Amino acid sequence: MELILIIISTIFVNNVVFAQFLGICPFLGVSSRVSTSMGMSAAVIFVITISSMVAYMLQYYVLVPLGIEYMQTIVFILVIAALVQMVEIVLKKVSPVLYQALGIFLPLITTNCAVLGVAILLIQKQYSLLESVVFAFGTAVSFALALVIFAGIRERLEIEDVPRAFRGTPIALVTAGILAMAFMGFSGLV
């Protein structure tokens, strides 16, 4: 039951984009097309889940026993950078079109504050390894959900008659604000 509560709360109640304001740069940058946002979502789900699992093990099996917990951020960033590099190599071989579509945003997963934030949050919350993986996966899914919904709305807005002053970034920011308020409706769920 605890794992179900963790997954529901991370996806809906504490959405990483709308409630914690992490990962805003790729959220706004990659959300112009649903296809691109789906690819980015898959990459982020993989990187957040794996990096959080590795970060947990490094924290409790290397950093804490050696008494070097202060190295946490640097070690986590190195793990994230290595995983993103691996994802980039695989995408370049498997799907060159998606690799080109993601462009600069794929290497930016390394500096995506949501990825590092999740790794640090699960250590702060003192979750077990299983709870950490569920928390990381749920948070990654929440990022993906926000990204895909937002991309769908932005695609639809391109064909609508939006006043000239609101075209582009202004309407995107207004839409993101409305989505954040919609997700606030889940706040009493868990």
Side-chain angles (χ1 to χ4, degrees):
M1 188 64 177
E2 181 72 24
L3 297 178
I4 294 170
L5 288 176
I6 290 173
I7 204 125
I8 289 172
S9 69
T10 56
I11 293 174
F12 298 110
V13 179
N14 295 318
N15 186 286
V16 71
V17 175
F18 300 130
Q20 297 176 7
F21 307 112
L22 296 174
I24 299 295
C25 179
F27 172 73
L28 291 173
V30 187
S31 62
S32 60
R33 297 273 171 252
V34 172
S35 59
T36 308
S37 67
M38 295 283 275
M40 181 65 146
S41 296
V44 167
I45 287 172
F46 176 79
V47 170
I48 285 179
T49 305
I50 301 299
S51 67
S52 295
M53 187 170 34
V54 172
Y56 177 91
M57 290 190 273
L58 283 172
Q59 175 73 17
Y60 290 111
Y61 298 117
V62 176
L63 299 178
V64 170
L66 294 175
I68 54 173
E69 295 94 346
Y70 58 87
M71 296 289 290
Q72 177 188 65
T73 305
I74 294 170
V75 170
F76 290 178
I77 289 172
L78 290 174
V79 166
I80 292 165
L83 284 169
V84 169
Q85 195 67 33
M86 186 176 73
V87 168
E88 192 170 355
I89 290 168
V90 169
L91 269 181
K92 197 172 191 177
K93 295 284 184 194
V94 173
S95 179
V97 174
L98 181 59
Y99 176 77
Q100 289 293 334
L102 291 175
I104 189 67
F105 292 102
L106 187 57
L108 285 178
I109 294 175
T110 304
T111 58
N112 184 346
C113 57
V115 180
L116 180 60
V118 170
I120 292 173
L121 279 173
L122 66 90
I123 300 300
Q124 288 177 348
K125 292 179 181 277
Q126 298 180 341
Y127 284 141
S128 68
L129 180 59
L130 180 60
E131 290 171 335
S132 296
V133 171
V134 169
F135 175 78
F137 180 75
T139 304
V141 169
S142 80
F143 179 83
L145 179 68
L147 192 63
V148 171
I149 290 172
F150 191 56
I153 293 171
R154 285 184 74 179
E155 277 187 2
R156 177 69 189 253
L157 284 172
E158 285 181 9
I159 60 173
E160 296 298 325
D161 186 26
V162 177
R164 191 177 336 168
F166 281 99
R167 289 185 188 148
T169 304
I171 194 68
L173 293 174
V174 169
T175 304
I178 293 170
L179 275 173
M181 288 190 299
F183 270 78
M184 283 178 58
F186 293 116
S187 62
L189 189 62
V190 177

